[in-house]
Amino acid sequence: MTFNFTNFKFSSDDIEAAAKRIYYEFISTEEFRSSYDCIYISGPVTGVKDYKDRFDEIYNYMKENYSDLGYYFIKPMDYINKMPKKATYIDKVLLTNMILARCVFIILDDRDDKWMNSTGVLCELNYATGNGDISILSFKQLLEDEEGGILKNA
């Protein structure tokens, strides 16, 4: 699949070049190339002191319980943090949209209502629903799903 970058307008040419480099780094990883499909972990960051721990909890839970399905689990901050310091918030949203375009699921950290006030999460959910091929799954429901059927039957 070739990605069409013309739909993404970054704040400068060097930011666009950095985003492309990060994107190609993402799709070149062994985990991505050997996976069945990608699952994007979405949760609030701004104003959430323990956001790294929250993302790690979800990532580790998903790897422990669903790695046998062949999915590649993505923590977007791993890629956003590689953007140049002068990258704008919109530049970072565009990068996450590029990554989301390669995913089949978003796992939403909905263990509390912090996600409802997160512009980033709402942008990710808007992108997912506007591009029909990305399903949104509730992490809270996955935790309650003892059989593991929600994701395994999705």
Side-chain angles (χ1 to χ4, degrees):
M1 173 180 171
T2 304
F3 194 83
N4 180 0
F5 290 99
T6 59
N7 296 329
F8 295 88
K9 302 295 181 206
F10 290 89
S11 61
S12 68
D13 290 343
D14 59 324
I15 296 294
E16 180 177 350
K20 286 180 180 179
R21 178 185 47 76
I22 294 164
Y23 172 78
Y24 286 123
E25 176 185 314
F26 156 66
I27 64 170
S28 298
T29 61
E30 179 61 33
E31 294 89 354
F32 177 83
R33 288 186 287 118
S34 65
S35 67
Y36 170 70
D37 270 315
C38 296
I39 296 179
Y40 184 100
I41 300 168
S42 177
V45 173
T46 304
V48 180
K49 292 180 184 175
D50 64 341
Y51 78 88
K52 289 180 184 177
D53 293 335
R54 292 172 67 105
F55 274 83
D56 287 343
E57 286 172 24
I58 296 172
Y59 180 83
N60 292 334
Y61 178 86
M62 298 305 294
K63 294 259 313 170
E64 183 178 317
N65 292 283
Y66 297 101
S67 62
D68 61 323
L69 298 178
Y71 290 109
Y72 176 41
F73 303 102
I74 299 163
K75 295 185 293 183
M77 292 308 293
D78 290 348
Y79 298 97
I80 292 170
N81 289 337
K82 294 179 180 184
M83 288 289 277
K85 293 216 182 292
K86 71 177 191 173
T88 66
Y89 184 81
I90 297 300
D91 291 329
K92 294 171 185 176
V93 169
L94 292 175
L95 175 65
T96 60
N97 285 351
M98 292 165 60
I99 293 170
L100 265 171
R102 299 303 294 256
C103 297
V104 293
F105 295 108
I106 286 181
I107 301 295
L108 174 64
D109 182 1
D110 59 347
R111 293 174 285 179
D112 53 35
D113 63 357
K114 292 177 183 175
W115 69 271
M116 291 184 217
N117 297 314
S118 169
T119 303
V121 170
L122 297 176
C123 287
E124 292 162 352
L125 297 178
N126 184 55
Y127 185 86
T129 56
N131 291 292
D133 295 337
I134 305 169
S135 299
I136 300 166
L137 299 174
S138 159
F139 185 61
K140 190 162 66 173
Q141 286 181 325
L142 285 174
L143 289 173
E144 296 168 358
D145 180 31
E146 294 177 16
E147 303 291 318
I150 291 174
L151 187 56
K152 291 180 181 176
N153 297 323

